[in-house]
Amino acid sequence: MTILALIFGRGLAQAAGMIAGLVAVRLLAPSAFGAYSLATTTIGLIGILADMGLDPILTARTAANPQAQGVLLWAAIRWRFIATLATALVILLAALIPPLGRPDLLLVGVISLFPRGVIRAICAALTGLDKARRAASIELFTGLGIALLTIMGAIFGRDALWLMGALAVGNGIGMIAALGGRPHPTPQTGGIDLHWRWQMGLPFVLVGLAGALFQGLDLYLVAALYARPEYDAVAFYAASLRVVSLLLIVPTAWGTVMLPRYIRAYQTSPLAARRLWRRQQGALLMVGIALAAVSGWLSTPFIGWLLGESYTIAAPILAILGCMVIPVCVSAPTIALLTAQGRTGGIAMAVIIAGGAALLIILLIGIYIPFSPPQGVIAIAAVKVFAMALLAWLYGRAVAR
């Protein structure tokens, strides 16, 4: 029941966030939505640095020494506050590197990082104390609050700054709720190590950064190479990704639900876990092909109906990015098996290789092929699909080894 509570809470919060994002796409002008997409992508990247990889460490330490949970929690919050202040440097960088996002949007985004960090720290401590249901309820409350405020900002504000403000206010409200549900202080024991060594969180930071860069780097390249006043390349590309994210709910939800089963199967028999992987990989391949076919077939009417007529020009981008669901579906059981085997390093390495290959190809296209902005964005979408296919192959190679 604990696992189901976590899955339900996080899944519902993510679904609400997707719906709010689609409402924002429809109501905001393409230029405003493009600015919002760049800013949130940058905030997501620096948020990984601000988190410092402390959540799994805090969960493990709290589980090992419940009597010290109060001291451990506040030590983690203190370090996260310091890290958040350091990430504010991105605002200065944005003045020099425009594709990072508008400085005013990034300022509001940075403000939202500390309350978000407090929420994550408290939820990590609660998970370590085997109170995951309470953690899930806090995450759900925060996610729904941010989604509701985002929709309200899109309706009444019609500007990217309102949406970033919704993120900050939502996290602030969530922090208040998290502090109310935080673990109660307990008698402390001696010999508590409060020194959070950066080396401890570094592997988690690197894995998170690799995944975030793989997912967001192409948006920066679209902004740097093809954004024009007459063609909102960032908005069209980011909006297409928002629609594709609806299709990706299927493999994402599958992976979340099936991971515990893979872990149990691998602990019982590694051979049985491999048989389960082969059987489900074939089934998910067929699901991915069906979803990609429907996406390509309905891309023009669907994107116009969902996002508005101004986005129908992005239908070819959506049709290509929709093919991404095939390798993502194929990868889902492979990631579950690798995670059950404890081989997260192999996952990170595959992401780094595939992301590096995509970056190189996009840069070569931008330098040597004189595409028009619409053609260039379509080319980047095709490279994104190729990178996902390469990633699926690398995951398979990791399992074979």
Side-chain angles (χ1 to χ4, degrees):
M1 292 301 293
T2 297
I3 293 175
L4 289 177
L6 282 170
I7 292 172
F8 176 78
R10 292 174 180 173
L12 190 56
Q14 290 175 357
M18 290 180 183
I19 294 172
L22 291 173
V23 172
V25 177
R26 188 172 183 87
L27 295 180
L28 266 65
S31 58
F33 177 71
Y36 171 71
S37 298
L38 282 176
T40 51
T41 300
T42 301
I43 291 300
L45 286 171
I46 65 174
I48 295 171
L49 297 176
D51 288 341
M52 297 178 65
L54 289 181
D55 292 341
I57 299 171
L58 179 59
T59 297
R61 287 194 171 193
T62 302
N65 192 354
Q67 291 77 20
Q69 49 84 12
V71 178
L72 293 170
L73 174 60
W74 290 112
I77 291 175
R78 182 176 67 249
W79 279 107
R80 192 154 278 174
F81 176 72
I82 295 171
T84 301
L85 290 178
T87 60
L89 293 173
V90 74
I91 301 170
L92 300 177
L93 288 176
L96 302 174
I97 310 174
L100 289 178
R102 279 170 35 188
D104 59 333
L105 300 182
L106 294 178
L107 173 61
V108 178
V110 168
I111 292 173
S112 73
L113 287 179
F114 178 66
R116 168 184 172 273
V118 173
I119 295 168
R120 290 176 61 96
I122 291 175
C123 290
L126 288 170
T127 303
L129 294 172
D130 200 24
K131 297 179 179 179
R133 291 187 185 182
R134 190 187 302 178
S137 66
I138 292 172
E139 292 182 3
L140 178 59
F141 175 80
T142 303
L144 293 178
I146 292 174
L148 178 60
L149 289 170
T150 299
I151 292 173
M152 292 175 62
I155 293 173
F156 298 108
R158 302 292 180 95
D159 185 75
L161 191 59
W162 280 70
L163 268 63
M164 294 302 293
L167 183 65
V169 173
N171 277 322
I173 295 173
M175 181 179 70
I176 295 173
L179 289 171
R182 72 184 184 276
H184 296 294
T186 54
Q188 300 166 9
T189 59
I192 302 172
D193 179 16
L194 298 181
H195 185 53
W196 300 90
R197 300 177 181 85
W198 66 268
Q199 296 95 332
M200 297 174 62
L202 184 60
F204 301 103
V205 171
L206 291 178
V207 171
L209 276 178
L213 283 171
F214 182 80
Q215 296 299 331
L217 194 58
D218 49 336
L219 191 64
Y220 293 125
L221 293 171
V222 167
L225 295 173
Y226 300 113
R228 302 288 190 275
E230 70 278 7
Y231 183 77
D232 293 297
V234 174
F236 296 145
Y237 189 82
S240 300
L241 284 176
R242 292 270 181 173
V243 176
V244 171
S245 68
L246 294 176
L247 302 177
L248 298 183
I249 289 177
V250 175
T252 301
W254 180 94
T256 303
V257 172
M258 291 301 298
L259 179 58
R261 181 177 175 184
Y262 270 82
I263 293 174
R264 291 191 297 269
Y266 186 77
Q267 290 174 343
T268 302
S269 169
L271 185 60
R274 278 181 172 271
R275 285 198 297 266
L276 176 64
W277 165 63
R278 292 192 184 95
R279 184 169 63 251
Q280 294 189 336
Q281 195 175 42
L284 280 173
L285 172 62
M286 300 307 297
V287 171
I289 292 173
L291 289 174
V294 171
S295 172
W297 181 41
L298 297 178
S299 58
T300 299
F302 185 62
I303 198 169
W305 170 78
L306 189 63
L307 304 182
E309 291 300 319
S310 60
Y311 283 94
T312 54
I313 193 175
I317 304 171
L318 174 60
I320 293 175
L321 286 176
C323 297
M324 192 169 64
V325 74
I326 299 175
V328 172
C329 282
V330 172
S331 298
T334 310
I335 293 173
L337 180 59
L338 289 171
T339 304
Q341 294 173 339
R343 299 172 64 186
T344 54
I347 296 175
M349 184 58 63
V351 171
I352 291 171
I353 294 173
L359 172 62
L360 178 60
I361 294 171
I362 292 174
L363 289 177
L364 290 175
I365 290 174
I367 294 171
Y368 294 108
I369 303 179
F371 280 138
S372 66
Q375 293 171 335
V377 176
I378 290 173
I380 289 180
V383 174
K384 179 82 168 182
V385 175
F386 163 77
M388 294 302 301
L390 175 61
L391 186 61
W393 180 79
L394 290 170
Y395 285 154
R397 294 293 298 172
V399 169
R401 289 194 297 269

